[in-house]
Amino acid sequence: MRVKRNHQDYFNLNLQDEMTAESVEEIVNYIRCIPEPPRLDGFAEEAMSRWRKSKRALPAPVPPVPLFARQQLRILFSQGWWKEVVLGVILFVVGYLVLSVMEIVSPMFILSIVGCIPLLVVVSHTARNTLCGMGELARSFRIPLHRYVQARFLMAGVISLLINVSVTAMVTPVGGTEFMLRMTLLWCIPILNNAAVALVLSTLIRNFRQLTTVLFMVPLFWMILFSGEFAVRWTMSVELFWLMGLGVLSAVVFSLAMRFQSRILSRGGFLIGA
């Protein structure tokens, strides 16, 4: 009863009043009389003990299940990738037929102009998918972002190479090994440079229309370059050694462009809306 009465008295205590030593000692004695909280025992203590043991005995994190090649290909072919390739092949065929009929350039340079169109279409449509909000979906894939993007571009480039090799084998006369090698080098050099330009521009240009316009001006550049008589005379007279050197240099430029884009993508940037 005394503790209860003292509690009510000190609750109504005016702190502005002058406190004597006896009052302070009485307050200290009241604080000492406050009962401590009961210790855990019985069921509560046993539950806490089990929780501590389970927390210490947590199993090691299980690594994610590795992706098989088929699953990785399904991820790479997502977002309508095959439609982009089909559109690129159709534009390739149309461009080849137009240049063959109109005879704007020598038949030797047609593949140099239209050979990279499938890759350019894939780059352009990848940017469009990102503009439509698919970039966040690509970030959630278990494949790293730069590998996902560059794998799509690499497969499109391989398809372009296969198409060009097939056309070269069909139009090359039988026994013309040197002519076939020269023709292959003449379209390999523009394709590697076009791919390098596409990788860099797709990282720097953040607008879909601007990127598409610039990419489809690249074949026009090669058409203007190979439309003169000087280009025909030079390509027919230059030694294969120098053409091979230009091919190696183009491959180095392409590798540097891939490293540049990979560095940008690994830092979180993407084609559009980074």
Side-chain angles (χ1 to χ4, degrees):
M1 294 296 294
R2 177 177 177 79
V3 173
K4 184 176 181 181
R5 182 177 59 80
N6 289 340
H7 174 73
Q8 294 177 352
D9 294 342
Y10 292 125
F11 185 77
N12 299 323
L13 181 65
N14 188 0
L15 297 180
Q16 295 180 355
D17 296 339
E18 183 178 359
M19 299 180 63
T20 61
E22 291 79 4
S23 301
V24 173
E25 184 178 359
E26 191 174 357
I27 294 175
V28 172
N29 293 332
Y30 166 73
I31 295 175
R32 290 176 180 174
C33 292
I34 297 177
E36 298 181 357
R39 296 182 179 181
L40 296 176
D41 57 354
F43 172 77
E45 179 63 25
E46 184 179 358
M48 291 296 296
S49 177
R50 290 180 180 179
W51 179 79
R52 295 189 189 98
K53 292 180 180 180
S54 64
K55 189 176 181 181
R56 288 193 297 265
L58 286 176
V62 180
V65 180
L67 291 176
F68 296 102
R70 180 176 57 85
Q71 296 172 327
Q72 295 184 14
L73 290 177
R74 288 185 61 183
I75 294 176
L76 294 176
F77 291 158
S78 62
Q79 303 182 21
W81 185 85
W82 64 271
K83 298 179 181 178
E84 304 167 12
V85 175
V86 171
L87 178 60
V89 173
I90 293 175
L91 293 178
F92 172 88
V93 174
V94 171
Y96 188 89
L97 294 177
V98 169
L99 293 179
S100 300
V101 173
M102 298 182 64
E103 299 182 354
I104 300 176
V105 295
S106 173
M108 183 183 300
F109 301 134
I110 294 179
L111 291 178
S112 303
I113 299 171
V114 302
C116 202
I117 287 182
L119 174 61
L120 299 180
V121 172
V122 171
V123 173
S124 177
H125 280 250
T126 303
R128 187 192 65 177
N129 291 339
T130 311
L131 182 63
C132 295
M134 302 301 289
E136 295 300 326
L137 176 61
R139 296 176 195 275
S140 65
F141 293 155
R142 289 175 56 187
I143 300 177
L145 181 62
H146 62 282
R147 293 184 181 177
Y148 168 77
V149 175
Q150 291 185 345
R152 285 167 62 97
F153 293 169
L154 182 61
M155 287 188 293
V158 170
I159 291 175
S160 299
L161 291 177
L162 293 177
I163 295 174
N164 292 336
V165 170
S166 302
V167 175
T168 303
M170 289 187 297
V171 301
T172 302
V174 180
T177 306
E178 182 178 354
F179 177 80
M180 182 177 181
L181 180 58
R182 183 180 296 272
M183 186 175 178
T184 303
L185 289 173
L186 287 177
W187 58 254
C188 271
I189 295 172
I191 282 182
L192 290 173
N193 286 281
N194 291 347
V197 170
L199 292 178
V200 175
L201 292 180
S202 63
T203 307
L204 299 179
I205 299 179
R206 306 300 174 128
N207 185 277
F208 168 66
R209 293 182 180 178
Q210 294 179 3
L211 177 62
T212 304
T213 302
V214 174
L215 288 180
F216 280 90
M217 288 178 61
V218 174
L220 296 178
F221 166 78
W222 293 104
M223 186 175 65
I224 296 173
L225 181 64
F226 289 134
S227 60
E229 292 293 334
F230 173 77
V232 178
R233 291 196 303 267
W234 184 83
T235 53
M236 294 302 297
S237 61
V238 67
E239 297 181 1
L240 288 176
F241 174 78
W242 296 110
L243 284 179
M244 292 180 182
L246 289 176
V248 173
L249 181 61
S250 301
V252 172
V253 172
F254 173 71
S255 300
L256 294 177
M258 285 193 65
R259 292 191 60 183
F260 171 78
Q261 190 198 48
S262 177
R263 183 180 304 176
I264 295 298
L265 295 180
S266 60
R267 292 178 180 177
F270 201 46
L271 300 175
I272 304 292

